[in-house]
Amino acid sequence: MEPKRNSGWHHHPELPIPVSPILSWPPRPLAWLKWISGYWLVMSSVLIELALAWAVYAWLMPSWDTMQTLQLGWAAQIWVRNLITLALVAGGLHLWFYSLSAQGKRLKFDARDLARNNGTYSFRNQVLDNMFWSLASGVTFWSAYEVLYFWAAANGYAPQINLASNPIWFVLWIVLIPIWASFHFYWVHRLLHWPPLYRLAHSLHHRNVNIGPWTGLSMHPVEHALYFSSLLIHFVVPSHPVHVLFHFYNLGLNPAFSHSGFEGVVAGDKQRIKAGDFFHQLHHRYFECNYGTAEMPWDVIFGSFHDGSETATQDTRARKKRMHGQ
């Protein structure tokens, strides 16, 4: 039976939303390449993050000699750089979409405005609440993991490669990093929905049903510690600093795009940059679905996929009732 369409949105992509073909059997290599090209061959957050990683590596890194010793000076430099970067990206998206309302509600998934004078949030304001947790906790944990890695790499405790010595792995690892991040996020996210951890930590992020750019990294410190632990793979898998920085920006900045609430940035009557992720927007509204990301079909495999249709909404509500007994 054809899935019913979901009419409860101001805007949504064509429904049902597609499933990543990466684990299809029998393999569908052309479909997978087409899927990947949707991230790499258009102006998207992924390309922006990769370009930023190269620029920071080239011009804004402390020297390797400096990073051999843990010192407040260079650690603070990294914290300030990350603070400014997140403020520019999340703040810039918020300015465009909400403060200036530069494209009105065109391509906005949920027509409602972000909450004000609401006791659910710190400071009774959704944006200020999200900014506080993103900057005070999010940037701090992001920077702590970054300092730890570069101190270890500078002292030879983390395996490294360069483009000249291993060009194939260098390029392949760039493509695989978002896939690994998606795999890690799915399992951490499922863990965070375990009732004790949900009440302790993840409920803070789920204050946000209608989401905005600052929502993406608005998490409890416990969640930040788990979320950024994805970076620990670089202590095992040989990497270049560009890989590591790209991974950090994928984790630290991509949520601002994916939680923007808009499918894309429109300028001159044309979509210029892909932005919001309807896959994850569904998670914030319906809660017990779409724990992972659209890059990997883990939710399909484990029965928690919401494809945006009315049928999937009914199935998700029944599943939530079974899980929570209500």
Side-chain angles (χ1 to χ4, degrees):
M1 179 182 293
E2 186 75 15
K4 297 178 183 177
R5 294 179 63 82
N6 192 323
S7 59
W9 298 94
H10 175 71
H11 167 81
H12 60 70
E14 184 177 350
L15 300 177
I17 56 176
V19 176
S20 169
I22 188 171
L23 295 182
S24 297
W25 192 262
R28 298 162 56 207
L30 292 180
W32 186 71
L33 288 173
K34 182 179 179 181
W35 181 274
I36 289 294
S37 70
Y39 291 91
W40 292 101
L41 300 183
V42 299
M43 182 54 68
S44 66
S45 58
V46 174
L47 284 182
I48 292 170
E49 290 150 12
L50 181 59
L52 182 61
W54 278 104
V56 168
Y57 171 66
W59 298 309
L60 295 175
M61 287 295 297
S63 70
W64 288 107
D65 289 342
T66 298
M67 293 189 293
Q68 284 183 340
T69 304
L70 284 174
Q71 294 177 331
L72 180 60
W74 68 270
Q77 177 184 333
I78 286 177
W79 185 85
V80 170
R81 184 229 296 153
N82 292 336
L83 182 81
I84 292 172
T85 302
L86 181 60
L88 288 174
V89 173
L93 289 170
H94 182 85
L95 180 68
W96 177 267
F97 287 132
Y98 296 94
S99 299
L100 299 177
S101 194
Q103 61 189 65
K105 294 190 177 181
R106 187 174 178 186
L107 301 188
K108 191 176 192 301
F109 300 128
D110 190 320
R112 294 174 295 175
D113 294 324
L114 300 177
R116 298 187 181 200
N117 196 27
N118 187 322
T120 301
Y121 302 97
S122 307
F123 319 109
R124 300 185 62 83
N125 183 293
Q126 183 178 0
V127 176
L128 294 180
D129 171 281
N130 291 177
M131 289 178 67
F132 172 79
W133 291 106
S134 295
L135 297 173
S137 177
V139 171
T140 299
F141 275 90
W142 166 2
S143 302
Y145 274 106
E146 187 171 341
V147 168
L148 176 65
Y149 170 79
F150 281 109
W151 168 81
N155 286 282
Y157 303 144
Q160 296 189 68
I161 62 166
N162 58 52
L163 179 59
S165 66
N166 202 332
I168 294 176
W169 175 246
F170 188 98
V171 174
L172 183 60
W173 191 210
I174 290 174
V175 175
L176 291 176
I177 282 171
I179 296 174
W180 158 252
S182 175
F183 173 82
H184 178 273
F185 176 69
Y186 177 83
W187 292 108
V188 164
H189 198 179
R190 287 300 298 262
L191 176 64
L192 287 161
H193 274 257
W194 178 48
L197 264 181
Y198 181 84
R199 290 191 295 270
L200 171 67
H202 194 46
S203 57
L204 188 150
H205 185 69
H206 269 286
R207 293 173 179 177
N208 304 280
V209 177
N210 181 26
I211 55 181
W214 283 107
T215 303
L217 215 60
S218 179
M219 306 174 188
H220 188 278
V222 169
E223 182 168 356
H224 281 131
L226 292 170
Y227 176 69
F228 283 109
S229 67
S230 173
L231 275 301
L232 296 177
I233 196 170
H234 298 289
F235 284 84
V236 179
V237 177
S239 304
H240 186 275
V242 167
H243 294 128
V244 180
L245 289 167
F246 172 56
H247 197 163
F248 273 114
Y249 294 135
N250 186 262
L251 294 177
L253 302 180
N254 214 44
F257 288 91
S258 65
H259 288 74
S260 66
F262 288 75
E263 188 174 43
V265 175
V266 175
D269 208 35
K270 183 178 179 181
Q271 181 173 319
R272 304 293 179 176
I273 303 174
K274 292 179 65 176
D277 184 353
F278 189 65
F279 178 98
H280 194 67
Q281 186 96 19
L282 288 162
H283 174 77
H284 274 268
R285 178 173 289 191
Y286 300 116
F287 188 70
E288 295 294 359
C289 64
N290 295 6
Y291 301 107
T293 66
E295 289 87 350
M296 291 293 289
W298 300 116
D299 287 282
V300 177
I301 294 170
F302 295 105
S304 55
F305 178 52
H306 192 313
D307 64 7
S309 67
E310 293 285 1
T311 302
T313 296
Q314 295 164 13
D315 291 344
T316 299
R317 285 172 175 161
R319 180 172 174 270
K320 182 179 177 182
K321 188 175 181 179
R322 290 193 304 271
M323 291 175 66
H324 299 280
Q326 55 181 0

